[in-house]
Amino acid sequence: EPEVTQTPSHQVTQMGQEVILRCVPISNHLYFYWYRQILGQKVEFLVSFYNNEISEKSEIFDDQFSVERPDGSNFTLKIRSTKLEDSAMYFCASRTGTGVSGANVLTFGAGSRLTVL
Amino acid sequence: ILNVEQSPQSLHVQEGDSTNFTCSFPSSNFYALHWYRWETAKSPEALFVMTLNGDEKKKGRISATLNTKEGYSYLYIKGSQPEDSATYLCAFPTGTASKLTFGTGTRLQVTL
């Protein structure tokens, strides 16, 4: 069964450092997402990406965050200057573009745990 | 702010017990409701997507119902097994990209 793969599974970084989280979505999917879960809190939406551009972003997704799909397969989330409060599990997800969009399930990766010291 | 709530937050049952949990969501502008199962150290996995009021879906021992008029969905597990131990998340899609707003999750632990 097709999978969404994420690397690294765990990254520890110092405050102020740049971090890149990588994702390989399912090849025929058209919509790509990043979500995160801070320990003990809800899973929260960060950004969605479609047709090589951001289609929607949350208030959390400020100027220190960016996404790109550099080679048509990888989908990356960059955090330019990490803060302590960026410590969380970051999930990549993708879905097809067919049918009623709200009814398309998301396929999630296993997450990248980011710890900022 | 969209409010999707789940209860209880956690649940501890014995093997063989049947259990259920609730997801409540806004009843206006309804498109669909998603249920995901998330085992520790694994990817959240889709269980159901429900779109119609009165919908009932079933996957093995797990089933779900939907009431869009009053804004709630129930997830039922019949004869719980230890492998059912996971966090069960409901989510409500909104926006042009159908981003999901998640509930807090119900953490289920099934012991022998």
Side-chain angles (χ1 to χ4, degrees):
Chain A
E1 184 149 344
E3 287 183 343
V4 173
T5 55
Q6 288 187 242
T7 54
S9 56
H10 190 188
Q11 181 154 357
V12 181
T13 191
Q14 295 290 325
M15 194 167 57
Q17 294 296 303
E18 177 182 282
V19 159
I20 297 176
L21 305 179
R22 291 184 168 81
C23 170
V24 181
I26 292 173
S27 59
N28 63 347
H29 282 187
L30 300 179
Y31 290 82
F32 312 107
Y33 303 83
W34 284 99
Y35 289 83
R36 76 175 185 189
Q37 189 194 34
I38 295 171
L39 195 62
Q41 298 185 22
K42 291 185 180 185
V43 175
E44 49 190 358
F45 167 76
L46 292 177
V47 65
S48 59
F49 194 84
Y50 171 72
N51 203 24
N52 288 319
E53 60 182 21
I54 290 173
S55 49
E56 195 169 352
K57 59 184 181 178
S58 71
E59 289 175 359
I60 303 165
F61 195 89
D62 61 21
D63 290 345
Q64 70 158 349
F65 289 91
S66 62
V67 289
E68 60 176 10
R69 199 156 182 252
D71 55 11
S73 61
N74 293 288
F75 178 49
T76 62
L77 175 70
K78 184 192 288 187
I79 309 174
R80 258 178 274 285
S81 176
T82 50
K83 301 179 222 169
L84 295 175
E85 53 266 36
D86 295 328
S87 295
M89 179 74 91
Y90 288 80
F91 290 100
C92 174
S94 67
R95 67 171 177 87
T96 68
T98 56
V100 176
S101 59
N104 295 146
V105 295
L106 296 192
T107 303
F108 284 87
S112 293
R113 181 165 293 288
L114 177 64
T115 302
V116 183
L117 302 175
Chain B
I1 296 176
L2 201 61
N3 217 18
V4 179
E5 298 294 338
Q6 290 186 248
S7 63
Q9 283 195 13
S10 65
L11 199 49
H12 192 159
V13 303
Q14 299 285 323
E15 183 182 15
D17 288 350
S18 292
T19 187
N20 65 85
F21 9 103
T22 308
C23 171
S24 62
F25 53 86
S27 53
S28 58
N29 297 318
F30 179 84
Y31 290 105
L33 187 82
H34 295 220
W35 280 101
Y36 291 84
R37 179 172 177 275
W38 182 19
E39 282 183 77
T40 304
K42 294 188 177 177
S43 315
E45 175 196 357
L47 286 172
F48 306 113
V49 177
M50 310 182 77
T51 55
L52 298 175
N53 185 41
D55 228 356
E56 282 191 41
K57 296 226 172 176
K58 192 172 179 184
K59 189 174 185 176
R61 293 179 292 97
I62 305 176
S63 59
T65 60
L66 180 69
N67 183 324
T68 60
K69 292 184 179 175
E70 294 181 40
Y72 65 83
S73 174
Y74 292 134
L75 190 81
Y76 300 91
I77 303 178
K78 187 177 175 183
S80 304
Q81 298 296 310
E83 58 265 29
D84 296 328
S85 298
T87 297
Y88 292 82
L89 297 164
C90 70
F92 188 80
T94 57
T96 51
S98 295
K99 68 177 189 287
L100 295 180
T101 298
F102 284 87
T104 46
T106 293
R107 187 183 173 99
L108 174 69
Q109 193 171 354
V110 183
T111 51
L112 297 169

